[in-house]
């Protein structure tokens, strides 16, 4: 078994599962209960330096 075949087998099986788990984790990260404050801060950050009253 060549190195290419071994890496290809890993990428087709475990690598795909790891990438799917990472994608779901990153997509759902901002819905966690402790993130509400950070999400609100990011949501209003574009208006922070606004001088128009």
């Amino acid at each position: 078994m060549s190195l290419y075949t071994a890496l290809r087998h890993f990428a087709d099986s475990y690598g795909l599962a790891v990438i799917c788990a990472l994608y779901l984790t990153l997509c759902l990260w901002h819905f966690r209960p402790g993130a509400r404050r950070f999400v609100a801060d990011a949501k209003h950050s574009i208006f922070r330096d606004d001088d128009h009253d």
Side-chain angles (χ1 to χ4, degrees):
M1 179 182 271
S2 69
L3 179 62
Y4 174 78
T5 307
L7 291 176
R8 174 76 189 258
H9 176 69
F10 175 76
D12 286 342
S13 57
Y14 299 110
L16 180 62
V18 168
I19 288 179
C20 287
L22 181 64
Y23 176 76
L24 288 174
T25 301
L26 292 175
C27 286
L28 298 174
W29 183 256
H30 68 280
F31 291 113
R32 62 188 168 86
R36 182 171 297 200
R37 183 183 58 166
F38 298 112
V39 171
D41 185 45
K43 183 170 55 173
H44 297 293
S45 67
I46 62 170
F47 303 113
R48 190 170 294 142
D49 295 328
D50 193 15
D51 291 334
H52 298 87
D53 290 327

